[in-house]
Amino acid sequence: QVQLVESGGGLVQPGGSLGLSCAASGIIFSVSAMDWYRQAPGKQRELVARIGSGSTYYADSVYGRFTISRDNAKSTVYLQMNSLKPEDTAVYYCHVRPNGMDYWGKGTLVTVSS
């Protein structure tokens, strides 16, 4: 079955950096578009970044600060987050949608606070 396992969350000060990883299994990773979503307290889950085989997408709120990348040999997608702001505080989820089915990781908490 499809499994997505995130890691790398934690507490960071405003202006700091943090990197997230998502290890995928049960899918043909190299042809799968991979997403990072986030959900802040009291807010809807939102798409943060997406990476396909040759393209990337970023939400306006993170453009220029976050970088999504992938390592097909390791079936892993990454999210490098720089210049973090308190409003980036959220649970970050890895997502994939092979054949029209949505799969989510359990999420990793990122807290940006001084």
Side-chain angles (χ1 to χ4, degrees):
Q1 74 254 23
V2 178
Q3 286 192 319
L4 302 172
V5 180
E6 302 101 336
S7 61
L11 174 64
V12 62
Q13 293 187 340
S17 298
L18 205 59
L20 305 181
S21 300
C22 170
S25 60
I27 59 172
I28 305 175
F29 184 83
S30 61
V31 301
S32 300
M34 301 297 299
D35 305 322
W36 283 101
Y37 279 75
R38 69 184 180 187
Q39 187 165 20
K43 294 189 176 181
Q44 288 189 328
R45 195 171 295 190
E46 62 173 351
L47 177 63
V48 173
R50 170 173 291 158
I51 186 166
S53 57
S55 63
T56 56
Y57 162 84
Y58 296 96
D60 288 344
S61 57
V62 307
Y63 188 85
R65 300 187 298 121
F66 289 12
T67 302
I68 189 170
S69 62
R70 64 193 298 159
D71 185 336
N72 289 338
K74 296 182 178 180
S75 296
T76 300
V77 61
Y78 304 96
L79 187 69
Q80 179 63 38
M81 305 181 292
N82 298 328
S83 302
L84 283 160
K85 305 175 182 180
E87 51 263 43
D88 294 318
T89 295
V91 177
Y92 284 72
Y93 297 92
C94 187
H95 170 265
V96 67
R97 197 167 189 259
N99 301 318
M101 293 286 292
D102 289 297
Y103 295 93
W104 299 90
K106 292 183 179 180
T108 185
L109 177 62
V110 172
T111 303
V112 185
S113 175
S114 54

